[in-house]
Amino acid sequence: MIVGICACDMGYGIGTANSLPWPTLHKDMQRFRYLTSGNVVIMGRKTWDSIGQRPLRKRVNIVITSSPDSHHAMQYPDGTSVTFITADEIEYYVSFYNNAGKNIFIIGGVAIWKMFCSYYDLFYVTRVLCETKADIKIDLDEILLYLPHKLYESSLQKDASRSSPCYFYEAWGRYGRSALT
């Protein structure tokens, strides 16, 4: 299954200066870890840079870059791996991991989310209830054109920190799909 996952503010902002434009949402990070652990995450090179060029543990990390030869693949004992590929190679890797029964999570950035528009089975959105000065925005309407059914919307969430904004979850999908649990 190919699953998009992102968080955005009310103006569709997703990033500022290579980081999230709102305070850390710990429960949302835990949810992201729960959903993606043991699976495959695909990201662009800028997203890889924004997470400190460190792999997300207990996941197969695939980084799409125009210069994969300038990076080194990594393998760890806990099942974590990192592979750098070009966009031309993505079909092979998606097919390989799909056939292996892995869920494939597309975690950004904007160009990578758009690249998979017509392939998504599900798309998870965390809607952060604030306006930020994000310098990177996602055109969710374009992506969700391919996923016409809102499968669910959660109740309002709030982390313990007073400074963190409220947020809620949505899952969008095609006919006959249900959200992962």
Side-chain angles (χ1 to χ4, degrees), residues 124-172:
Y124 288 111
V125 180
T126 300
R127 301 267 188 175
V128 183
L129 301 178
C130 66
E131 288 279 342
T132 66
K133 294 183 177 172
D135 56 4
I136 303 168
K137 296 183 184 264
I138 184 171
D139 185 351
L140 268 182
D141 295 333
E142 179 182 348
I143 291 169
L144 297 179
L145 267 174
Y146 295 88
L147 299 162
H149 303 285
K150 187 186 288 187
L151 301 174
Y152 80 82
E153 182 175 305
S154 77
S155 59
L156 212 53
Q157 307 289 312
K158 177 80 171 137
D159 282 4
S161 166
R162 288 181 183 235
S163 65
S164 72
C166 292
Y167 54 96
F168 63 94
Y169 303 120
E170 298 175 339
W172 294 81

Side-chain angles (χ1 to χ4, degrees), residues 80-114:
T80 302
S81 66
V82 183
T83 304
F84 297 90
I85 65 169
T86 64
D88 295 339
E89 298 171 283
I90 197 63
E91 251 182 70
Y92 167 79
Y93 284 90
V94 167
S95 176
F96 176 82
Y97 286 109
N98 228 358
N99 290 336
K102 297 282 188 187
N103 290 315
I104 300 165
F105 286 85
I106 313 306
I107 66 169
V110 174
I112 307 304
W113 281 312
K114 284 183 179 181

Side-chain angles (χ1 to χ4, degrees), residues 18 43-53 107-110 112:
N18 238 6
M43 68 191 92
R45 199 248 332 134
K46 289 179 188 173
T47 299
W48 171 251
D49 291 348
S50 77
I51 62 172
Q53 298 182 352
I107 66 169
V110 174
I112 307 304

